[in-house]
Amino acid sequence: MTERKRFPWWPWALFAWMAVVIWAAFFYAPAAKGFKGESARIVFFHVPQAWVAVLAFCVNLVASLRYLRRRDLVDDARAAAAARLGLVFSILATVTGSLFAKVMWGSFWNWDPREVSIAILLLVYAAYFALREAIPDDERRASLSSSYAVLAFVTMPFLVFVVPRIYWSLHPDTLINSRGSIDMESRMFQVLMGALAGFTGLFFWLYTLDVRLAKVGLRRRQREES
Amino acid sequence: MRASSLLSESLAVLGKELTSELRSRVALNAVGLFALTTLIAVAYQIGPYKIEEADRPHLLSALLWIILFFGATSGLARVFVKEEDARTAKTLRLAARPLAVFFGKLGFNLILLLGLESLVVPLYCALMSYTVEGVAGLVLVMACGAVAMAASSTMVAAIIARASGSGTLFAILTVPLALPLLVVLIQGTKAAATSAALAAVIPALRAIVSLAGVTLVAAVYLFPVVWHD
Amino acid sequence: MRASSLLSESLAVLGKELTSELRSRVALNAVGLFALTTLIAVAYQIGPYKIEEADRPHLLSALLWIILFFGATSGLARVFVKEEDARTAKTLRLAARPLAVFFGKLGFNLILLLGLESLVVPLYCALMSYTVEGVAGLVLVMACGAVAMAASSTMVAAIIARASGSGTLFAILTVPLALPLLVVLIQGTKAAATSAALAAVIPALRAIVSLAGVTLVAAVYLFPVVWHD
Amino acid sequence: MICFAAVTRVRVSFEKVGKRFDTRTVLAQLSGAVEPGRVLVVAGPNGSGKSTLLNILAGVIRPSRGEVRYRQNEEDIPRARWFAHLGVAAPDMAVYDELTAVENLMFFARLRGLEARPDSIGALLEELGLGAREHGRHVGTYSSGMKQRVKLAQAVIHEPAVLLLDEPSSNLDTAGHDAVARLVDRFRSRAAVAVATNDPREMAWSDARIELAL
Amino acid sequence: MICFAAVTRVRVSFEKVGKRFDTRTVLAQLSGAVEPGRVLVVAGPNGSGKSTLLNILAGVIRPSRGEVRYRQNEEDIPRARWFAHLGVAAPDMAVYDELTAVENLMFFARLRGLEARPDSIGALLEELGLGAREHGRHVGTYSSGMKQRVKLAQAVIHEPAVLLLDEPSSNLDTAGHDAVARLVDRFRSRAAVAVATNDPREMAWSDARIELAL
Ligand code: HEM
Ligand SMILES: Nc1ncnc2c1ncn2[C@@H]1O[C@H](COP(=O)(O)OP(=O)(O)OP(=O)(O)O)[C@@H](O)[C@H]1O
Ligand SMILES: Nc1ncnc2c1ncn2[C@@H]1O[C@H](COP(=O)(O)OP(=O)(O)OP(=O)(O)O)[C@@H](O)[C@H]1O
Ligand SMILES: [Mg+2]
Ligand SMILES: [Mg+2]
């Protein structure tokens, strides 16, 4: 098992990478046209955070389905860890988004469909944890929260893709627009891709940490049992 | 033979549900009366205000669905919580197939919702002077909406009932799940209110039906897990 | 000596209520989350619409109270229904003085309501950009309103719990009782929102306090009858 | 636990008590008394009205006819004060699942105006056969017999002058049954005790007996 | 009542079954079997894990370790089909208060795919000692012993191949106790029966016995 290795190298590489990305976001990338002042630089944080949140909820879904199939409590710990990180990154995306919105649209909160979708998403996963809190028994907690996660995920596409399109929105379109091309200055694009990779790495680092911690707890309990 | 006996068992559950609710009497029309009082409070406090003509269709359909939704949640959760409270859940769990229980309870909730809608919607239109152009479209939206809402709330009620029994948790879990549904339902109702053509509600209807379908499929897969834990 | 022991017994009931709710954890913040989701649903659907400037203070305070009211009813009924469901009601009935039970449960509901208000009101003001001139006045209205609402809903919860046990019935009975209260509360909130002077809320406050007083006196007189049936 | 009720002697008498549910007469013209210092056993087949009688004596159900009186020193106690002298355990009563056994009993003691300390409560639970290592667990996780013990402790924590026990040893094992027998013996001398039972072993506790018929 | 289960013989075996709640081990490494044609009595003091074992055998609780198997004609029955062969009565189960005894049993019969007629249900209730004049009343108004009889009827209405009874004669009078003894005897020959009990009289029914300790 990897627990033996005290100092895996890649978290350090990750830190270095993130430092470079942060530097690049402020000094390498140019200020974007069509945005007020230097405000566009927040995109390098806002977009990766939103992306990681979506990724985390996908990981949560996969782990939940796996739990339902194999009934291994480690999968439940994986699902919980992913949901926890998803919650944190959605909050970060909301905070950076609303800072952005204050600059661009003049108010922190505008009831833009994008904002509402993410608020609902936050509630869904807050409810997920409220449910987990409510169930004392390990196995029952795992199977019920997995079921809720699957049910919640089923409505996610409607939140993220359908609802923002039904309503007129202030929020920019997706990166890959309807013409199938990418409209972005190339240095900006490089930094954004770098940030995406960095935040994804950050997510997986935190995720493995959390899962390992949960595994240790599970194993300690198993030892106590025998 | 499997399918036909599933039907008969589901009907047995539905029948049990109906007799036992009709006998305690309160629960059934409680939902209706709750919605009614809410209706009056809303109509009394908000009704008299002249909402801009352009905002009317949307605002009024939003209010209507908020009332229906709260009326429904206060009743729908009962269907499983009741079993846990009365300690009949274990008896039922040991005697019935999960899917028979799910479809029976779903049927009951559906009947409750349809009854609620046919009580509230005409009254609301009258009290708030809400004119609906496409009545056929509205009926379709209401019917499909009831199916989708019943499916998701039956499922959530089952989860709740097993979670150390708190009726209030129901709301927390359903409301965010139901919001996307609410949004498309409001769209559909608005479309029905403003246009007599049936075609106007088709986009919303498509979204409602697919949400209902997805929820039902997920529920059929998940309910046995939740029910047998 | 009678009075002081009544106090200590009421505190015992309140303490029991608090530990048992804190332990099941969900129920307490459930009400909060429920109100939160409601808040979002309402703000999302109604918030963006520009309501005429003249109508704003009234409409917004009406909406605020409707949200608070929904949030509260979903939680307050539990306080007695729970006892009947868990079959602890007979035990409590045989061990405690009716008034100790009443004041203990009233205290619990009051804490719940005050917590709900301090969560919802600031958020509502922020989300709906509802500017309040007289903050002190608002706080007074909210506090007195909580007492009045807790008194009437505790009483109704007791009636409900004995009436062949349905939590939903609670809502039916509270709403008509609460309508006059809601009206004066909305008045008071509106007054606090539009005027910084504390004097502006005095008339509404007087009405609220007297309504609360009347409800409390009636409850103290009626509760032992309802409780011992 | 020192308590005002320990020194009082209350006599519960019922005269021509009858109870009808809808069209069915469950009790008819029943008279008798629960005397301090004696154990009254109420026997009879299932459905004969044992629990109904105990509920009437406790004031939880009003009789359709006849009258129940609590007398202390030749004076009638008003109905609203009965509960202070009364300890009851019955199959349709429960204690709080979310509280531990000790918290439950602390609560019931405070309701009766007692200054109960956890150790005296612990002693009472031990007397009923619930070991100390269980005291800190939520009652909701108890087995049927453990719950029954907590329920019995709740009935006697304030040393009531009148003790009404409905099927006190249901769900209990032999050790539990013996503990209840000892409990009844302890109260025999200072309280008026009534026991409704289906268990032949409990009939032996009786000083007086009412046999109900279907 | 003719039923597919009447001719099937199901053997329930459990191997190295253990159950932990939080940090407490209730059952550890327990093995054994409920054999068709025999009555297994599960005895032990309150809180020793009798109900937990029965719940595990019924599939209501998952064991923390070990395994339960239902075998019929040398073939394993999948967990999802256990319930069709199973009849259970336990203190933490109830039937529907708002329905009458007959309606309750009609409901449970339909759930099992049986064509139950009211008269055969009436006969079953009479066998358990619940007279015909009570059949039409809501179970909510029944006495504790009458409810127990309906619960037992629910457990056997489909002539299950596996019968799990937890404290079957709690709340019952002597006549009721005899009726349960007769019921167990009737099932002894054709079903696998397990009885968890605190009542010394019921120990005598055993062909095999598991004694649990605290
Ligand atoms: C509170 C306010 C905001 C929230 C909650 C928010 C939320 C989100 C979310 C959830 C995404 C991911 C969407 C997806 O993957 O489909 C996203 C992407 C994005 N947001 Fe925001 N946002 C906010 C404000 C803003 C503002 C004010 C701007 C700039 C004017 C902005 C620019 C972008 C861009 C350029 C993307 C990338 C689009 C894509 O590739 O999908 N956001 N935002
Ligand atoms: N609320 C009620 N409504 C109608 N009938 C009732 C009600 N309560 C009790 N009964 C009936 O009164 C009769 C006596 O009931 P009771 O509970 O007193 O019997 P019991 O002697 O305690 O029996 P058991 O030994 O089974 O506990 C029963 O037939 C019962 O069905
Ligand atoms: N859900 C649970 N959580 C924690 N502990 C539990 C749970 N269920 C049962 N226990 C504990 O497991 C032990 C065994 O319980 P069980 O109900 O099996 O006992 P039992 O032998 O049936 O006792 P009785 O004769 O009193 O019915 C008890 O100590 C009980 O408190
Ligand atoms: Mg009885
Ligand atoms: Mg047991």
Side-chain angles (χ1 to χ4, degrees):
Chain A
M1 291 239 99
T2 48
E3 279 86 340
R4 283 292 155 98
K5 276 189 244 160
R6 286 264 166 116
F7 301 107
W9 59 270
W10 59 273
W12 299 106
L14 187 62
F15 282 135
W17 181 259
M18 287 306 286
V20 171
V21 165
I22 291 169
W23 172 82
F26 288 100
F27 301 108
Y28 175 67
K33 290 188 288 291
F35 287 87
K36 286 190 188 135
E38 301 285 327
S39 68
R41 298 190 190 282
I42 209 167
V43 166
F44 303 127
F45 304 96
H46 170 74
V47 174
Q49 283 157 358
W51 146 252
V52 166
V54 171
L55 177 72
F57 294 133
C58 292
V59 173
N60 169 266
L61 173 77
V62 172
S64 297
L65 284 173
R66 255 166 70 120
Y67 176 80
L68 290 177
R69 180 143 315 149
R70 307 192 318 180
R71 299 207 164 259
D72 180 353
L73 281 176
V74 174
D75 286 323
D76 179 55
R78 288 198 177 100
R84 204 172 294 126
L85 288 171
L87 211 51
V88 169
F89 278 96
S90 335
I91 291 170
L92 288 177
T94 312
V95 170
T96 50
S98 57
L99 285 176
F100 207 177
K102 178 69 182 171
V103 177
M104 294 299 299
W105 308 331
S107 134
F108 285 113
W109 198 262
N110 306 278
W111 293 109
D112 185 83
R114 182 68 83 194
E115 294 173 327
V116 175
S117 303
I118 204 151
I120 296 172
L121 208 65
L122 285 177
L123 281 175
V124 167
Y125 285 92
Y128 173 83
F129 284 106
L131 180 66
R132 292 183 70 90
E133 285 280 276
I135 312 169
D137 184 68
D138 278 350
E139 273 104 20
R140 182 176 290 179
R141 182 196 315 120
S143 56
L144 292 190
S145 57
S146 306
S147 303
Y148 184 71
V150 174
L151 207 60
F153 198 88
V154 162
T155 54
M156 277 247 295
F158 284 86
L159 279 178
V160 178
F161 300 112
V162 178
V163 172
R165 273 156 196 76
I166 286 187
Y167 286 98
W168 168 81
S169 170
L170 291 163
H171 196 273
D173 267 348
T174 47
L175 265 185
I176 300 174
N177 60 23
S178 45
R179 295 191 306 279
S181 61
I182 298 168
D183 289 333
M184 198 178 250
E185 201 274 332
S186 81
R187 272 186 296 165
M188 278 188 77
F189 185 70
Q190 289 159 17
V191 177
L192 184 61
M193 285 301 124
L196 273 176
F199 271 91
T200 309
L202 190 64
F203 165 73
F204 276 107
W205 179 56
L206 292 171
Y207 172 74
T208 43
L209 270 186
D210 200 342
V211 172
R212 263 169 60 195
L213 207 63
K215 272 186 184 164
V216 169
L218 279 175
R219 211 166 314 125
R220 198 186 53 214
R221 290 194 36 182
Q222 253 160 25
R223 252 203 320 278
E224 273 170 13
E225 192 176 344
S226 53
Chain B
M1 186 227 134
R2 281 298 290 286
S4 89
S5 82
L6 177 61
L7 180 66
S8 128
E9 289 165 41
S10 307
L11 286 178
V13 175
L14 175 59
K16 187 275 287 179
E17 225 60 51
L18 287 174
T19 5
S20 112
E21 284 295 327
L22 280 173
R23 215 157 269 175
S24 69
R25 244 175 268 169
V26 211
L28 244 175
N29 46 7
V31 175
L33 265 169
F34 177 80
L36 217 72
T37 33
T38 315
L39 195 58
I40 292 178
V42 168
Y44 178 39
Q45 291 299 333
I46 295 173
Y49 288 87
K50 286 161 295 300
I51 298 159
E52 269 175 45
E53 204 51 50
D55 294 345
R56 275 184 76 82
H58 182 89
L59 261 180
L60 287 185
S61 57
L63 259 178
L64 172 60
W65 274 104
I66 288 171
I67 293 171
L68 280 175
F69 182 67
F70 285 116
T73 41
S74 66
L76 298 183
R78 265 185 68 83
V79 90
F80 286 106
V81 172
K82 194 180 62 190
E83 303 264 0
E84 296 290 340
D85 282 349
R87 300 188 304 154
T88 50
K90 189 173 161 189
T91 324
L92 189 61
R93 196 166 287 131
L94 282 164
R97 246 190 277 201
L99 284 184
V101 174
F102 178 72
F103 286 117
K105 303 265 180 189
L106 175 68
F108 178 74
N109 273 348
L110 192 58
I111 290 176
L112 207 68
L113 266 172
L114 289 174
L116 182 68
E117 284 177 351
S118 47
L119 178 77
V120 166
V121 175
L123 256 172
Y124 181 81
C125 293
L127 285 179
M128 306 285 282
S129 39
Y130 184 40
T131 45
V132 173
E133 299 294 328
V135 174
L138 185 73
V139 170
L140 265 176
V141 168
M142 288 286 156
C144 297
V147 174
M149 207 179 252
S152 78
S153 45
T154 306
M155 193 58 211
V156 178
I159 294 178
I160 284 308
R162 306 241 51 195
S164 77
S166 144
T168 7
L169 190 60
F170 178 72
I172 311 173
L173 297 186
T174 335
V175 177
L177 280 190
L179 272 175
L181 181 62
L182 269 181
V183 170
V184 289
L185 284 172
I186 290 167
Q187 283 300 319
T189 310
K190 180 179 154 189
T194 43
S195 156
L198 207 57
V201 300
I202 296 294
L205 215 55
R206 203 177 289 140
I208 297 168
V209 170
S210 58
L211 246 175
V214 165
T215 319
L216 269 177
V217 170
V220 166
Y221 172 68
L222 292 174
F223 186 79
V225 178
V226 173
W227 179 242
H228 273 302
D229 169 4
Chain C
M1 188 227 136
R2 282 301 289 287
S4 91
S5 82
L6 176 60
L7 180 65
S8 128
E9 289 165 41
S10 308
L11 287 177
V13 174
L14 175 59
K16 186 273 288 179
E17 224 61 48
L18 286 175
T19 6
S20 113
E21 285 294 327
L22 280 174
R23 211 154 274 172
S24 69
R25 243 177 270 170
V26 214
L28 246 174
N29 48 3
V31 175
L33 261 167
F34 178 81
L36 215 73
T37 33
T38 316
L39 194 59
I40 291 189
V42 168
Y44 179 31
Q45 293 299 332
I46 296 172
Y49 288 88
K50 288 161 294 298
I51 297 159
E52 270 176 46
E53 205 50 51
D55 294 346
R56 275 183 76 83
H58 181 90
L59 259 181
L60 287 185
S61 56
L63 262 177
L64 172 61
W65 276 104
I66 287 172
I67 293 170
L68 281 175
F69 183 66
F70 273 129
T73 41
S74 70
L76 298 183
R78 265 183 67 82
V79 91
F80 284 106
V81 172
K82 195 179 61 188
E83 303 265 359
E84 296 289 340
D85 282 350
R87 299 189 305 153
T88 52
K90 189 174 163 189
T91 324
L92 188 61
R93 198 167 284 131
L94 282 164
R97 252 190 273 198
L99 284 186
V101 174
F102 179 72
F103 285 117
K105 304 262 181 190
L106 175 67
F108 178 74
N109 273 348
L110 191 58
I111 290 176
L112 208 68
L113 266 172
L114 289 174
L116 182 70
E117 284 177 350
S118 47
L119 177 77
V120 166
V121 175
L123 255 173
Y124 182 82
C125 293
L127 289 180
M128 306 286 282
S129 37
Y130 184 40
T131 46
V132 173
E133 299 293 331
V135 174
L138 186 71
V139 169
L140 267 177
V141 168
M142 288 287 155
C144 298
V147 175
M149 208 180 249
S152 77
S153 44
T154 307
M155 192 60 212
V156 179
I159 296 174
I160 283 309
R162 305 242 50 191
S164 73
S166 146
T168 3
L169 190 61
F170 174 69
I172 311 173
L173 293 182
T174 326
V175 179
L177 276 187
L179 268 178
L181 182 61
L182 270 181
V183 172
V184 289
L185 285 172
I186 291 168
Q187 284 301 321
T189 310
K190 181 178 153 190
T194 43
S195 155
L198 207 58
V201 299
I202 296 294
L205 214 55
R206 202 177 289 141
I208 297 168
V209 169
S210 57
L211 251 173
V214 166
T215 320
L216 268 177
V217 170
V220 166
Y221 176 67
L222 287 176
F223 185 79
V225 180
V226 174
W227 180 241
H228 272 302
D229 118 321
Chain D
M1 259 151 298
I2 299 138
C3 169
F4 65 98
V7 292
T8 60
R9 295 172 76 83
V10 175
R11 180 174 187 272
V12 180
S13 63
F14 47 102
E15 247 171 83
K16 297 199 176 151
V17 156
K19 180 71 195 175
R20 288 177 7 122
F21 292 108
D22 301 324
T23 60
R24 163 187 314 250
T25 304
V26 173
L27 298 174
Q29 303 275 63
L30 199 64
S31 302
V34 193
E35 307 275 1
R38 308 185 68 183
V39 175
L40 173 74
V41 166
V42 182
N46 290 141
S48 55
K50 302 183 293 298
S51 304
T52 307
L53 178 61
L54 257 56
N55 279 332
I56 289 173
L57 294 184
V60 172
I61 289 183
R62 276 179 200 277
S64 314
R65 44 179 55 206
E67 204 185 4
V68 179
R69 295 164 81 185
Y70 278 47
R71 290 182 74 89
Q72 174 184 17
N73 308 328
E74 307 301 305
E75 259 176 66
D76 272 3
I77 302 172
R79 206 181 141 95
R81 298 291 309 158
W82 287 5
F83 80 96
H85 301 276
L86 201 57
V88 185
D92 61 347
M93 287 165 66
V95 293
Y96 294 95
D97 273 359
E98 313 84 14
L99 304 185
T100 67
V102 172
E103 285 170 341
N104 260 297
L105 294 179
M106 293 274 280
F107 170 60
F108 287 109
R110 279 190 66 192
L111 283 183
R112 330 265 352 191
L114 303 176
E115 281 302 327
R117 278 163 314 130
D119 54 345
S120 64
I121 285 172
L124 176 61
L125 286 171
E126 300 258 14
E127 180 191 338
L128 282 161
L130 201 68
R133 65 171 202 143
E134 320 282 6
H135 295 180
R137 203 139 54 86
H138 297 181
V139 171
T141 68
Y142 278 14
S143 81
S144 59
M146 293 155 78
K147 280 185 185 159
Q148 178 68 12
R149 281 165 224 253
V150 182
K151 203 193 289 183
L152 287 168
Q154 168 275 131
V156 300
I157 186 147
H158 54 301
E159 303 276 322
V162 179
L163 184 60
L164 306 178
L165 302 176
D166 193 358
E167 310 193 37
S169 50
S170 65
N171 303 321
L172 291 186
D173 56 14
T174 347
H177 188 272
D178 293 345
V180 177
R182 265 178 276 122
L183 190 78
V184 169
D185 251 351
R186 177 153 79 80
F187 274 86
R188 189 190 300 268
S189 55
R190 42 183 140 163
V193 183
V195 179
T197 183
N198 289 310
D199 191 327
R201 292 173 290 174
E202 295 176 2
M203 310 278 179
W205 302 342
S206 68
D207 299 307
R209 192 154 156 180
I210 293 181
E211 191 85 40
L212 297 175
L214 264 180
Chain E
M1 257 151 298
I2 301 139
C3 168
F4 65 98
V7 291
T8 61
R9 295 173 76 84
V10 175
R11 180 174 186 272
V12 180
S13 63
F14 46 102
E15 245 172 85
K16 299 201 176 150
V17 157
K19 180 70 196 176
R20 291 185 355 130
F21 292 108
D22 301 324
T23 61
R24 165 187 313 252
T25 305
V26 174
L27 297 174
Q29 304 274 63
L30 198 65
S31 302
V34 193
E35 307 275 0
R38 308 186 67 183
V39 176
L40 173 74
V41 166
V42 182
N46 290 141
S48 56
K50 302 183 292 299
S51 304
T52 306
L53 178 61
L54 257 56
N55 279 332
I56 289 173
L57 294 184
V60 172
I61 288 183
R62 278 180 199 274
S64 313
R65 44 180 52 203
E67 206 185 3
V68 179
R69 295 164 82 185
Y70 278 47
R71 289 183 76 88
Q72 174 184 17
N73 306 329
E74 306 301 304
E75 259 177 65
D76 272 2
I77 303 173
R79 206 180 143 94
R81 298 292 307 157
W82 287 4
F83 81 96
H85 301 275
L86 200 57
V88 185
D92 62 346
M93 287 166 68
V95 293
Y96 294 95
D97 273 358
E98 313 84 48
L99 304 185
T100 67
V102 172
E103 284 170 341
N104 260 297
L105 294 179
M106 293 275 280
F107 171 60
F108 287 109
R110 278 191 67 191
L111 284 184
R112 327 289 312 214
L114 303 176
E115 282 301 329
R117 277 162 315 130
D119 53 346
S120 65
I121 285 171
L124 176 60
L125 286 171
E126 300 259 15
E127 179 192 340
L128 282 161
L130 200 69
R133 65 170 200 144
E134 320 282 6
H135 295 180
R137 202 139 54 87
H138 295 182
V139 170
T141 68
Y142 277 14
S143 82
S144 60
M146 292 155 78
K147 280 184 185 160
Q148 178 68 12
R149 280 164 225 254
V150 182
K151 203 193 288 181
L152 288 168
Q154 168 274 132
V156 300
I157 187 151
H158 54 301
E159 302 276 320
V162 179
L163 184 60
L164 306 178
L165 301 176
D166 193 357
E167 310 193 36
S169 50
S170 65
N171 303 321
L172 292 186
D173 56 13
T174 346
H177 187 272
D178 293 344
V180 178
R182 263 179 276 122
L183 191 77
V184 169
D185 251 350
R186 176 153 79 80
F187 274 86
R188 189 190 300 268
S189 55
R190 45 182 139 162
V193 183
V195 180
T197 182
N198 289 310
D199 191 328
R201 292 173 290 175
E202 296 176 0
M203 311 277 178
W205 301 343
S206 68
D207 298 307
R209 191 154 156 181
I210 291 182
E211 191 84 40
L212 297 175
L214 263 180

